[in-house]
Every structure is written in structure tokens, then in C-alpha cells.
Amino acid sequence: MTVDTRVLLSGNEAIAQAAVEAGVQVAAGYPGTPSTEILETLARHGEIDVRWSPNEKVALDVALGASLGGVRTLATMKHVGLNVAADTFMTAAYTGVGAGLVLISADDPGMHSSQNEQDNRFYARLAGVPLLEPSDSLEAKEFTKLAFEISEEFDTPVLVRTTTRISHNRGVVTTEARRVRETLGFSRDPSKYVMIPAYARRRRPVLLERLEELTTYVEESPLTADIAGDSTVGVVTSGIAYRYVREVIPGARVLKLGITHPLPMDRIKSFAAEVDRLFVVEELDPFLEDALRAAGIDVEGKAFFPRAGELSPDAVRKGFAAAGVLEAPAPVPEPPATVVRPPLLCPGCPHTAPFLVLKRIGAVVAGDIGCYTLAALEPLAAMDTCVAMGSSIGMAVGLAASGGTEKPVVATIGDSTFLHGGIPGLIEAVYNEADVTVLILDNGTVAMTGGQEHPGTGVTLQGEDTRPVDLVALCRSVGVDDVRVVDPHDLAATYREIEGAIAHKGPSVVITNRPCVVAPTKVKDHPFTVVAEACTACQLCMTAGCPSIVWTDETFEGRRKVAIDTTTCTGCTLCAQLCPPRAIVLDPEWEAPGRG
Amino acid sequence: MAEPVRSLLLAGVGGQGVVLASMIVAETLLRAGYDVKQSEVHGMAQRGGSVFSHIRFGPAVESPLVPEGTAEVLAAFEWAEALRWLQYVRPGGAVVADVRRVVPPGACSDRRAWLSSYPVIDATVLREREVKAHLIDATALAADLGNVRAANSVVLGALAAYLDVGRDYWESTIADLVPRGTAEVNLAAFRSGAEAPAALIDLPAPETGTGFVPARIEVNESWCKVCDICSRVCPEYCLDLDGDTRLVVVAPDACTGCRLCEMLCPDFAITIHHEGQVPALATTGAGP
């Protein structure tokens, strides 16, 4: 190996590199942390058809279709995205593939940026497909390439499961050249691809036979690796947990499972017989541990290692200490008190004003997944529910149907989330005549994941112009009579339109349309400043939660006056609209860049 | 035992460029011949939240995460973030911290003491932990060089002074990875951080709060026509309407006495009573 071919890649970049090298020709997904950068990286390649789909199910449908069409195909999503795609996934295990089809599920133990921390390894068992778990960037590349081979050899979709610590960890990877196989073309085979009951009944035994063959393969696979060590402690592990085990207890004998479904139970049994104490160390649920127990293997695991949250070297060390295998770690003093720093809506965020209005109105707000979920936190504190992509509208309809509140019921949903999973909810509101108001917070991007394009932006993942979805026409076409559009930087107009829509009997929609301040363009307009002599320190501006506004030393009647950080202020005018004594004015000292 | 695996931690606030800075460190170490793993969290945290990056390097790295109490250097691009991750620094390790403050709005929410919850900048907090405190005003140094965005490179320069990695590896990596057109200023910033010793900087004195002045809201119901103006402006959400028939003081204890309701009421139906001496705040020269 020469130093020149070694590059630092994140796990996501390594998976994209694997797709390039494996000759993938179509890739589809929906943005979701920690999976997003896979397709963003792959899109830069140029020769591969890489696309954002409206949601994960459509992405997997596209991927399955392309696979049946005879080209290697990649589908990517975050863990909860596979819930959306699960319908297709479960039956794709019956149809099998044309050319190789690999699905990446990027799980988020610790919920760094997610609403739950479900362990998607269970999906592989549920569907009956092979499951690969890389433990770093190098393996992310190599396992993904191998997954395409397995997919074709065994005629099955393959699930590659990463976690945040794999996807967003950079490590050293060696790159190789791209090799594209000749396209197989689509072969008509209704008994394999048309899953009517009569045909599906024939495919079910095929699936079970395939699992038997896969088990034999896994028993012999180099991905099942017995790492020599002191046999007083044996550890069965996979994924990132393997790295923590090697870090913390380097002397132990380890059975590293690169493929965790189906399991090489013969190998595991003989390993178990050769060690004095057998542990399973795995992140999240006892997926391996339960399987070992079911096979009659005596094993220790979740009694010592946490089931909730992300593992770490410290958590693994504590677990082995609790088991009496390692000495207890020396106590580390707690860090000193510091300020709480939750994520925030950005200065000038177009989502701020609608939630200020909803807070004042006192509406019951069914929220959704996106940056605007941050409006649940102080000081806006204007959201009552947030469960899953697109859930806001249906939940608002249910809250209204329950009669459990006399307050107006409002759903808030971003543009991309609406196109992902909100449209059926809106149709529900029309069809079953719900008296709810839906706020579509249209900022023209998928903001929370870093500013991706979507079907409403008019631009594809590969940067080409396309026809954007017309949200107003869409809402009207499903039967919403009261559809309003307002600029959320006009506080009075936003108030008026939301109140008007709430007053309307039956479903109504308010679309707040103002681009995100950070993507695709970083907005920097003329900033505002506070005339200290005029500030009465009333704190009304502070109710917006803008990160650019802080207290100063000066007071009025004992209350702290405020100041604006003009370097971060984007000039949205919201605080100036709020300020009763009009103490907030355009910064007279600001010079527009490039106009001097 | 072969050369051990070593650990670094970088910390800052979303939007400060922590991810790029840690990519520069990781790439520098790769070029210097080490195996490297670098791990951070993207997504929600980047919206102004706390961002950190673990870097591990050596002959062969297993865990990408730094075990607590093992980092040689913690490089922080913001003061409060230096404190947040202090448990990762090993005894005798170093904390390189920009004394720049990014105050979150939530720090300015104590309407009783009127005291910011942002921690005081004081190197003794670090020395008590047996770590070297290397405080620098990186933002000011970068501003002197003409681009405050180069402050991270000043911090990297100070970090580099603690590592035995050749200057050439650092400088070639910085030149390759920083945004186009900014290589020169970032290299100058890196050198100023590497060469300037932990400069003596003027630390602001701790401040005191003003104390709470209780206030009472009096509503003259016979004058009130329930127009809803006061309840729509109250910064503390003290007032609400009971249906459309009556104004109610729903949170009397939250009133700070700002008088917005009193001043905006078209019918003079509200009076605010300050119940106690309104204190003056001692000026310290420091913001919150």
C-alpha cells in the first residue's frame, strides 16, 4: 500500500466511494442525519444517476426498479426512514433483485439528531435479508462493495447498517478504480416480480432456502473474524462496539461479526466453548445477545452494558468493571458549570414569526420534523407534539376530532416534510372535514440536514433545473378552499393570515414563504442595532429567541437592556417590528460588502 | 509497548467552523504518517448548539472516541465550550481556548436576578484541574490580520505548539483545505497562534445581578373593553383573555414591571406598581 492512495474519508464518503468502485449506476434516497452525505458525495461523481426522492419509500421503489432493470443500485436513508420504506423492503426480500441492490440504514444511537434510537438490525431479521455492520470508514467501503456481491450471488437486497459514529467518523481509506459491469437489462419474470398471493407463496420458501445458504456463507466468511487473545474473557461484538472493545480490553479474545444476519451460530458456539466467560458487547438492543441465548449459549451482556444511548469507550470500560473483568476506572471530575447551549433557530430564521404568533394565539400546535421543531424550546415554547415525518397534520385532525381542546388546532410542517409525508394528512383533513389549520413553513430547502434540494425547489440533487411542485395549486387541488400565502418576515401580516385561517371553518392552509437564511444562500442584509437610550428593557424582543440579541450592562428600572450582535444579525427586521419604543434601528455604521 | 494512541478534542459553537478545523488537524496528522480517526456530530447541533470533535492518532487507532481524562489538548474556539468538555483532558494536559464569548439567548433569561448564566472567564477554573490554561484572544488576533473568520487558525496554531508535528504538514494542509482565497490570512493566523505565547489578556471582572424588583399588575375592569392589546405584547405572558369577556392576570408573579401593558392600554385600565427600590447596576465594563 502506498501512502498516496490513502485518504481520510467519513463513513458516508467511504460508502459513496464503494458505490463508485462497485459500478453503481442509480442511487436514490431522502436526506436524514446521519445518512445525508452519502448521496451528496456520490452526486459529485457526475456519471452516476443520483437523486433525492420525495421520501424513503419512493427512493427504495426507484432503487428496486433500477435493480430489476439490470444496474447496480444504492438506496440511502436514516433509521426512521426505513420505517417509511419498510413496505417495499419487506416484499423486496421476496422478489429478490436484478443487479445488486444495497440499502444503507444510518442509525442514530444517542439521538444526536433524531426522534428515536430504534435498532434497525431487527429489520434484517424481520425481512430475512443479510445485514452487514462496518466498524469504521475502511470497512464501510469494503463491506458496501461486498454487499453488492452478496446481493447478486444470493439474489437478495442487502442491508448495510451504519451508526452516527461510523457515518460521521473520518478514517483512513484506500481508494480503487471504478468498475462498471455490463448492464443486464430487464428480464420479464412475473412469478418473481409480481407479488400476487399465488406467486408470493412460491417466493416465501425461496427466501427461507436463501437464508440457509447465506448462513453457510457467513460461517465461512472472512467477515466473521476470530481475534486471538486471552481466553478467560471472550467477546462477541459488531460495528462500532468492536472498536471500543479493542480499545478498552485489548487482551481479550474477540469474535468480530461483520455480518450479523444470518448469524454464524456454529462459529459462535465453538467460540463460546473455548472461552471461560462469554460477553456480547453491542450498542442499543440485545439483538445478538437474545439470538445467542435462543441458541442455548450462556452469555452476559446487557446486564453490564447500557441498552439506551450511545456506547463509548468509557461505557464499555464501566461495563467490564461491573462484570469484574477490569478494574473500575479512576473517577474523572465533573466539568465545571457552564451555560446550557441547545440548538436554536438562526438569526433571521423565517420560522420564528409564525411560532411567535401561535404562542400568542395559544393554539394547540401539532409539530413535525425539521428545524422548526426547535420552536418547542424556550422562549418560543410553541409546539405540543412532534412524532414522525408528516405526522403533524393527521395528529392535528385527531386532536380536533377528540374534542379534547377548545383552542384552535394547528399543524406546522416544513415544505420538504409536507411533500415527504404530509400530503395524505392534508387529504384526510379535507376528506373527513376537519377544522384544522395547516401552516406549511416553506423555506425552499431541507434545512435541518444541511440544505438539500427537494421536489419543491425546482433543482435536482445534481444541480439541474426541474419543474417545482406548486404548493398552492397542490393544496387547492385536494380541496382546501382557504389557502393563503404570507411573508413570515411581516409579523402583522403573518398574525392576520394565521388568525384568518383559524377563523375559517374547515381545513385551511397558510404557506409562509421565505427562504432559509443559511441555504442555499447565506443571507446577510443590513443589520439592526439598539439605541441604548431608547431601550426600556421590556424584553419583548427576547421573546423571539434570536441568537443575535443579548443583554448588556445597562439597565432601565433594574431590568437589563439589550444589544444586537451586528456580525450575526441578518437584518430580518423581526425585533424592530416587535420593539414598542422603536429602539431597534438599522445599524448606521454598517457598510454593505462590495458596495464601498 | 509500541507508541500509544493519542487524543485531542476540539470544541466550539455550531457555525464556528469546528468541523473544518478538525478536518485540518486530522489531515495534518495523516500527512505526518499517523493512522487517524476523527469523529463529530452533524445535524441538529449545528444550529447554534454545542459542537465537538474527537481526534485520535497513533500507529493504529481503534476507538474514534476519546476516553475521558485522556486528551492531551482541548482546543476550544469559545470559552464556555472549553469548560463543557474539561473532563476529557488528562491531568497535565493543555486547554487552548479563545476567550471569545458566544452568549446563547437562553443565558439571558433569569428575570429574577437579571444575571446572565454565561460562565465567568477565569483561568483558575482550569488550573484547579491540573491542566495548562492557554487563553488567547484569537478573534482579536485574527481581526488584526484582517479576517475574524481566521480565528480558528490562530487556535490551531496554539494547538500545534503542543504537538510534535512538523510545521510544513500543518501549513500545507491549511493551504489546501481553507476556502479559496483565504489561505494567506489563515496561514498568517496559524503562525500568530503558534508563535504568540499564551498572551496576557485582560479578563473582564465578574459581574453582579441587579436583583429582582417585584411588580404588581392592577386591572381596572370597569375601564377594560377586552381589546387584547396588552395580552398580545406582554413579554412574560402574564395576561390572557378569558374567552372574549374578561382580561385575566394569569401569571402575576412573572411580571417584571416593564409597563408595556400600562403604556399601550388605550383605556388607562392598567397600572403597574413597582414594589420596592429600583436598583442601579454596577457597571463592570463587561457584557453578560
Side-chain angles (χ1 to χ4, degrees), chain B residues 197-213:
Chain B
L200 286 176
I201 49 173
D202 293 328
L203 297 178
E207 57 188 53
T208 51
T210 63
F212 180 59
V213 185

Side-chain angles (χ1 to χ4, degrees), chain A residues 113 165 169-170 243 247 314 334 338-339 341 343-344 360 447 495 499 538 540 551 553 557-560, chain B residues 38-39 44 47 56 62 68 78 80-81 84 102 114 129 210 231-235 257 278 281 286 288:
Chain A
S113 202
R165 273 312 149 197
N169 165 57
R170 274 184 202 82
R243 298 291 166 186
E247 178 80 28
D314 297 308
E334 290 285 305
T338 188
V339 69
R341 196 188 297 281
L344 301 162
R360 286 290 171 190
Y495 216 124
E499 278 204 314
C538 72
L540 188 57
W551 280 346
D553 278 356
E557 294 180 343
R559 300 180 302 274
R560 289 227 191 228
Chain B
Q38 180 249 320
S39 185
M44 216 173 203
R47 297 279 167 265
R56 308 202 70 222
E62 296 286 356
E68 290 186 347
E78 200 273 348
E81 298 309 310
R84 193 180 312 282
V102 180
W114 293 97
R129 303 264 167 157
T210 63
S231 69
R232 289 190 178 198
V233 297
C234 175
V278 176
L281 180 75

Side-chain angles (χ1 to χ4, degrees), chain A residues 196-499:
Chain A
I196 54 172
Y199 293 156
R201 278 184 213 113
R202 284 192 231 160
R203 292 297 297 173
R204 172 78 174 146
V206 173
L207 192 164
L208 297 176
E209 278 163 36
R210 181 203 297 156
L211 274 177
E212 290 296 316
E213 289 161 20
L214 275 161
T215 305
T216 309
Y217 172 89
V218 178
E219 293 281 0
E220 289 157 13
S221 168
L223 267 55
T224 308
D226 192 343
I227 290 137
D230 172 6
S231 289
T232 53
V233 173
V235 185
V236 175
T237 185
S238 67
I240 191 67
Y242 163 73
R243 298 291 166 186
Y244 300 149
V245 168
R246 293 288 290 159
E247 178 80 28
V248 167
I249 183 164
R253 193 167 155 196
V254 175
L255 188 66
K256 176 183 187 291
L257 304 178
I259 303 174
T260 47
H261 186 263
L263 283 170
M265 208 51 88
D266 291 346
R267 289 282 296 276
I268 296 170
K269 278 180 180 160
S270 54
F271 181 85
E274 290 164 23
V275 298
D276 299 341
R277 266 182 97 174
L278 181 66
F279 291 90
V280 170
V281 180
E282 59 190 321
E283 208 164 43
L284 298 179
D285 288 320
F287 175 79
L288 300 174
E289 185 179 341
D290 287 354
L292 266 57
R293 288 237 170 80
I297 301 168
D298 191 16
V299 62
E300 301 171 276
K302 289 296 167 192
F304 303 113
F305 304 98
R307 184 168 174 172
E310 205 184 0
L311 280 186
S312 66
D314 297 308
V316 172
R317 181 178 295 280
K318 278 183 196 133
F320 279 119
V325 170
L326 292 177
E327 279 185 30
V332 173
E334 290 285 305
T338 188
V339 69
V340 181
R341 196 188 297 281
L344 301 162
L345 294 176
C346 301
C349 177
H351 298 329
T352 303
F355 285 97
L356 264 179
V357 169
L358 292 173
K359 170 104 170 181
R360 286 290 171 190
I361 289 173
V364 171
V365 178
D368 222 300
I369 310 274
C371 284
Y372 46 92
T373 318
L374 297 173
L377 304 177
E378 293 286 344
L380 289 169
M383 189 175 288
D384 298 297
T385 70
C386 167
V387 177
M389 288 286 289
S391 289
S392 58
I393 304 177
M395 289 185 67
V397 170
L399 278 161
S402 74
T405 177
E406 287 172 4
K407 294 174 178 173
V409 180
V410 176
T412 59
I413 184 166
D415 44 344
S416 186
T417 309
F418 176 69
L419 295 172
H420 173 289
I423 298 168
L426 187 63
I427 295 171
E428 157 75 24
V430 172
Y431 177 52
N432 287 312
E433 299 179 335
D435 188 17
V436 298
T437 296
V438 178
L439 254 61
I440 302 177
L441 308 160
D442 180 8
N443 63 356
T445 188
V446 191
M448 181 109 271
T449 47
Q452 287 72 33
E453 303 295 345
H454 66 68
T457 66
V459 181
T460 69
L461 171 53
Q462 290 180 316
E464 282 153 21
D465 287 344
T466 185
R467 185 182 174 124
V469 173
D470 180 338
L471 291 176
V472 174
L474 193 157
C475 295
R476 285 197 196 287
S477 73
V478 301
V480 181
D481 293 328
D482 189 353
V483 181
R484 301 151 188 258
V485 179
V486 68
D487 177 357
H489 277 185
D490 183 339
L491 184 60
T494 303
Y495 216 124
R496 193 170 58 238
E497 297 302 335
I498 292 176
E499 278 204 314

Side-chain angles (χ1 to χ4, degrees), chain B residues 110-131:
Chain B
D110 182 351
R111 313 275 218 275
R112 285 295 178 273
W114 293 97
L115 183 63
S116 158
S117 60
Y118 192 89
V120 172
I121 298 184
D122 180 1
T124 58
V125 183
L126 306 180
R127 295 198 192 99
E128 282 167 7
R129 303 264 167 157
E130 295 174 32
V131 298

Side-chain angles (χ1 to χ4, degrees), chain A residues 530-548:
Chain A
V530 180
V531 179
E533 302 77 48
C535 174
T536 62
C538 72
Q539 314 294 316
L540 188 57
C541 56
M542 296 295 269
T543 60
C546 176
S548 296

